Amino acid sequence: MSDISKIDKNFEVKTEIGKDDIKFYDVDEAPFKLYGIFRENGKYRRMPENVAKAVSEGVYALHSNTAGGRVRFVTDSSYIAIHAEMEALGKMPHFAFTGSIGFDMYEKTDGNDRYIDTFEPPVDITDGYDSVKDLEGGKMHEITINFPLYSDVKHLYIGISEKASLLAAPDYKIEKPVIYYGSSITQGGCASRPGSAYQSILSRRFDCNHINLGFSGSARAEDVMIDYLKNLDMSIFVLDYDHNAPTAEHLANTHEKLFKAVRAAHPDLPIIMMSRPKYYLTSDEEKRREIVETTYKNAVAAGDINVYFLDGKALTGEDIKETGTVDDCHPTDLGFFAMARGVGEIMEKILS
């Protein structure tokens, strides 16, 4: 565990955080625990760079977006600061910067993760930012900080009081990750902050690790991606790429193929498949829903007892319908809550 100011003597000058006793640490070092991302070739990634490059140009461009990334630790500091060095910033007109570029923070309280605050990025952000949030002093805090959904992070340093303790966080109750593969919705567009993406909601509910393999506009179940997915060690697999299949025919040619490849590699793995989370469907979208459901029905007919189908229309529900989206496609926090509710009902059955 290194004090970053001893590595870079100019570091304190570069920050604008008004704490006289601040000490920075690199999250790549113990006792910090990183989840959902790993460092490779100078920045954090969600899958190996060479595999991403082999899949497609889109996956390669997006695989270093840090959706689903988390750092966990315990401290009794009365504040927590971040110094983030970033690139490939996700600036979009329909997506809050706090979700696409920002970090948010949770604290474990009475067995539940409670939202504390968001490290809001400045509107004119170019290559990273500093932010600090105060905490209640004189007590230990079990902290999770979620990484941005649509930006690349090269380095993250955590600042705490130099007199404060810094300890490792407990493991997740379920350390083997839930793997989510899918579209921009899977990646987290357009949650107002990282912790509002449906996978993060479920991770807190079930105290389970997860890896977000959502690739905006680029989840097309290519052969290279199928080979990568089937070899991952996972507790549950969630399959949701309807939106990114270029045509219904493409979906029909790849969906069951992907399912069968993962099933062959993991005979007892619970697999959840869903159609696009949308209430009012066009005729093409109805056809796509039927294709996904057919994969499920064929599996059940073959005797598979660990496969589950979620109708995307039912995911939004009669109580939400189209009001849970930004643009009739990407969910708001309300839409992600509805998705977490639907997927969570199945995960409850699986995990119990």
Side-chain angles (χ1 to χ4, degrees):
M1 180 174 65
S2 301
D3 178 358
I4 191 59
S5 65
K6 294 179 181 178
I7 299 172
D8 181 357
K9 296 299 183 182
N10 296 316
F11 187 80
E12 292 182 353
V13 176
K14 295 178 182 178
T15 68
E16 298 180 358
I17 296 171
K19 300 290 185 181
D20 295 334
D21 65 340
I22 195 166
K23 189 174 181 178
F24 279 92
Y25 301 93
D26 190 332
V27 300
D28 287 344
E29 299 185 16
F32 296 103
K33 293 182 180 180
L34 283 172
Y35 293 89
I37 53 174
F38 59 92
R39 174 169 292 285
E40 183 186 50
N41 297 332
K43 59 184 176 182
Y44 297 113
R45 305 174 191 274
R46 294 180 284 151
M47 64 186 298
E49 183 179 15
N50 66 319
V51 177
K53 187 177 292 186
V55 175
S56 72
E57 182 178 345
V59 168
Y60 180 58
L62 295 165
H63 84 286
S64 50
N65 285 179
T66 53
R70 287 143 286 144
V71 60
R72 287 156 58 92
F73 58 97
V74 176
T75 184
D76 58 355
S77 179
S78 60
Y79 63 85
I80 292 177
I82 65 167
H83 173 80
E85 298 177 6
M86 305 170 69
E87 60 184 17
L89 302 172
K91 296 184 177 182
M92 290 165 272
H94 63 320
F95 201 161
F97 277 21
T98 47
S100 63
I101 303 174
F103 297 77
D104 68 1
M105 178 167 58
Y106 284 77
E107 179 181 357
K108 183 81 75 177
T109 303
D110 297 327
N112 297 305
D113 287 288
R114 182 172 67 87
Y115 169 68
I116 299 299
D117 213 331
T118 299
F119 298 97
E120 302 94 345
V123 173
D124 59 352
I125 184 173
T126 58
D127 57 3
Y129 70 107
D130 302 331
S131 184
V132 61
K133 300 297 177 182
D134 290 326
L135 299 173
E136 181 182 348
K139 59 175 288 189
M140 300 301 289
H141 306 276
E142 185 178 331
I143 297 295
T144 297
I145 294 177
N146 295 305
F147 279 62
L149 296 166
Y150 268 74
S151 298
D152 291 5
V153 179
K154 295 189 294 184
H155 291 285
L156 179 66
Y157 303 103
I158 300 295
I160 60 174
S161 170
E162 61 182 354
K163 297 179 181 179
S165 300
L166 182 59
L167 306 170
D171 290 342
Y172 281 106
K173 181 179 179 180
I174 303 170
E175 276 282 301
K176 186 182 292 188
V178 179
I179 303 292
Y180 298 86
Y181 175 65
S183 67
S184 55
I185 294 173
T186 305
Q187 188 172 338
C190 293
S192 68
R193 51 186 179 78
S196 293
Y198 84 90
Q199 302 94 338
S200 293
I201 296 172
L202 292 171
S203 181
R204 296 191 296 273
R205 174 178 171 180
F206 297 108
D207 195 21
C208 64
N209 186 17
H210 74 278
I211 296 175
N212 185 323
L213 294 178
F215 301 101
S216 189
S218 303
R220 300 187 175 186
E222 301 90 343
D223 288 344
V224 176
M225 180 59 79
I226 291 175
D227 286 342
Y228 177 71
L229 290 170
K230 74 181 185 182
N231 288 308
L232 294 176
D233 189 23
M234 45 190 156
S235 59
I236 299 173
F237 181 50
V238 182
L239 175 58
D240 173 28
Y241 73 100
D242 172 4
H243 260 298
N244 285 173
T247 64
E249 289 71 26
H250 178 97
L251 185 64
N253 291 333
T254 58
H255 194 270
E256 192 161 18
K257 178 181 179 181
L258 169 53
F259 166 74
K260 286 183 174 180
V262 174
R263 172 56 75 226
H266 304 273
D268 301 316
L269 176 70
I271 298 178
I272 302 172
M273 57 186 71
M274 66 179 91
S275 58
R276 64 180 60 188
K278 185 180 178 186
Y279 191 81
Y280 297 108
L281 302 177
T282 66
S283 58
D284 178 69
E285 291 167 339
E286 288 282 8
K287 184 176 181 180
R288 289 167 175 265
R289 190 202 66 78
E290 291 171 4
I291 289 169
V292 175
E293 188 175 21
T294 295
T295 300
Y296 164 76
K297 289 180 176 178
N298 289 344
V300 172
D304 197 322
I305 61 172
N306 285 315
V307 62
Y308 305 85
F309 171 68
L310 265 175
D311 186 340
K313 182 174 182 176
L315 270 179
T316 56
E318 288 285 347
D319 54 342
I320 294 177
K321 297 181 180 178
E322 80 279 15
T323 60
T325 73
V326 172
D327 51 9
D328 201 34
C329 173
H330 299 96
T332 60
D333 289 1
L334 176 62
F336 278 121
F337 171 80
M339 291 186 71
R341 178 177 60 185
V343 178
E345 289 177 359
I346 293 179
M347 288 181 63
E348 182 77 49
K349 295 176 184 177
I350 292 170
L351 297 175
S352 63

